[in-house]
Amino acid sequence: MSRINYIILIFAFNSGCQVTGQDLRAVKTADGIEISEGSSKILFYQVHPKSENGKYERTNYVHPLYSLSGNIITEDFPEDHPHHHGIFWSWHQILYNDKPIADGWMSENISWEVLKSDVTKQKNTITLTNEVLWKSVLNSNQKEGIVRENSTIIVHKANASYRLIDFDIKLAALKDNLKIGGSDDPKGYGGFSLRFKLPDDIRFLSRDKEVVAEELAVQAGPWLDFYGSFEGKNLPESGVAVFSHPSNPGHPQPWILRNQKSMQNPAFPGNVPVELSKAGLRFKYRLVIHGQNVNIKDIQKLYEEYARP
């Protein structure tokens, strides 16, 4: 980021700009944007680059994410995987002219610059509209733009049972012959990823069955509910359902699932890289943050509404 752009960005975020939409509110700070409803925090979107002792620098992700009761349910820079960041989207393999140039998962030879992050209010939602430039060193000693990302994060007002949060991510190549891929192993993880503070009793529920986590990706359908004691032991259970939209490439995407100390991921494209053209790829997901009074049938109905053309 140029010094001029950096100063402009810091000035904009230090202005303390506040947008309210009835009970929904977005507050811009020097680090990012916090969204809340009344006195309850919902999420924080990271705009300013953040690192752990100078390593794994990252921006353009959500952390913390809060439960309906106000507890933080995501992790950032966890000790076991310091390259995990709340709700994030990333790919291990980034290739140019079929040669590896960067590892977006490990933040190697790549950086992200949030060019713009606007807040729009409506009666029952607040929308973050973000423009992000991916940069990498190609043929010179200077970083060049390789991907332009345009994304929206839509936060809905909660009802008595759940809150909806939508992610719509568009990636367009700025260079010809660019490819992205998941991990270069049989797991093939990569794409939209969620690093939850996993309770010991975490369960993975999908439609009419409980899904068992395996080392490799599992076929579990277009949505999963992560359910357990997110609020703490001896308290009512709650969950986060993750919907993958039918328009997503590779639908239904397989799931990388872990019972402890790792991320969860509807994986795309797997370990074989795919072309990222200038026309681009688009990914759409919805989170349903819910309490114990939401059951599997309720979630299936919500998914059908989400998937309806």
Side-chain angles (χ1 to χ4, degrees):
M1 182 185 297
S2 71
R3 179 174 176 80
I4 292 176
N5 286 339
Y6 179 80
I7 292 172
I8 291 172
L9 181 64
I10 290 300
F11 175 80
F13 278 80
N14 274 335
S15 63
C17 176
Q18 181 169 299
V19 179
T20 59
Q22 291 193 353
D23 291 333
L24 284 171
R25 181 177 63 174
V27 177
K28 290 186 175 182
T29 73
D31 291 323
I33 302 174
E34 182 177 82
I35 298 181
S36 57
E37 183 173 358
S39 60
S40 300
K41 294 180 180 180
I42 301 171
L43 62 79
F44 186 85
Y45 172 67
Q46 187 73 32
V47 171
H48 185 69
K50 186 178 178 182
S51 67
E52 181 79 358
N53 298 321
K55 297 181 179 179
Y56 311 110
E57 184 174 278
R58 187 79 191 195
T59 184
N60 186 39
Y61 64 94
V62 168
H63 174 80
L65 176 70
Y66 297 84
S67 71
L68 289 182
S69 299
N71 290 317
I72 294 175
I73 55 176
T74 52
E75 295 181 307
D76 193 15
F77 296 99
E79 290 185 1
D80 52 275
H81 294 83
H83 46 280
H84 291 173
H85 309 284
I87 311 299
F88 66 110
W89 38 101
S90 194
W91 287 264
H92 259 299
Q93 300 184 73
I94 302 176
L95 293 83
Y96 178 56
N97 291 330
D98 291 322
K99 294 182 179 180
I101 59 168
D103 186 331
W105 195 265
M106 303 299 294
S107 299
E108 295 176 353
N109 194 32
I110 189 169
S111 62
W112 298 265
E113 179 182 347
V114 180
L115 302 175
K116 182 171 60 175
S117 189
D118 295 329
V119 178
T120 304
K121 63 173 183 177
Q122 292 185 328
K123 183 178 180 181
N124 295 313
T125 62
I126 278 186
T127 300
L128 302 185
T129 304
N130 311 305
E131 183 178 352
V132 182
L133 185 64
W134 300 17
K135 292 182 176 181
S136 183
V137 175
L138 299 181
N139 301 315
S140 66
N141 291 325
Q142 293 185 337
K143 287 185 177 180
E144 304 177 41
I146 59 170
V147 173
R148 185 172 300 276
E149 174 186 323
N150 293 94
S151 66
T152 59
I153 302 173
I154 304 176
V155 178
H156 301 251
K157 290 189 67 174
N159 61 25
S161 301
Y162 60 82
R163 179 191 306 285
L164 306 178
I165 303 175
D166 293 324
F167 293 80
D168 189 340
I169 303 159
K170 303 172 187 176
L171 307 178
L174 297 177
K175 303 287 185 180
D176 293 324
N177 303 316
L178 198 70
K179 294 181 179 180
I180 59 173
S183 59
D184 186 16
D185 57 30
K187 301 173 188 176
Y189 56 86
F192 189 75
S193 304
L194 310 103
R195 175 66 195 230
F196 292 128
K197 266 178 137 175
L198 285 180
D200 293 336
D201 58 355
I202 186 68
R203 290 187 291 155
F204 310 109
L205 308 176
S206 181
R207 294 178 290 190
D208 58 347
K209 63 181 180 181
E210 184 166 344
V211 179
V212 177
E214 300 178 8
E215 183 68 16
L216 304 182
V218 298
Q219 298 292 338
W223 65 263
L224 271 176
D225 187 33
F226 299 85
Y227 191 75
S229 301
F230 282 99
E231 311 296 347
K233 294 181 179 179
N234 303 318
L235 292 174
E237 294 179 319
S238 60
V240 182
V242 181
F243 295 171
S244 179
H245 197 273
S247 65
N248 283 342
H251 181 80
Q253 296 168 344
W255 296 80
I256 295 289
L257 303 174
R258 297 291 180 262
N259 289 306
Q260 59 183 351
K261 294 184 178 181
S262 193
M263 59 81 206
Q264 320 296 330
N265 167 222
F268 177 85
N271 58 7
V272 179
V274 298
E275 180 185 5
L276 180 60
S277 69
K278 293 183 177 180
L281 293 170
R282 183 177 183 181
F283 305 89
K284 298 170 68 176
Y285 301 92
R286 168 171 283 183
L287 306 186
V288 183
I289 317 295
H290 67 86
Q292 67 174 166
N293 57 337
V294 174
N295 59 38
I296 293 300
K297 291 183 179 180
D298 296 328
I299 296 174
Q300 176 62 27
K301 183 178 179 180
L302 287 172
Y303 179 79
E304 291 169 359
E305 294 172 354
Y306 175 64
R308 189 175 298 134

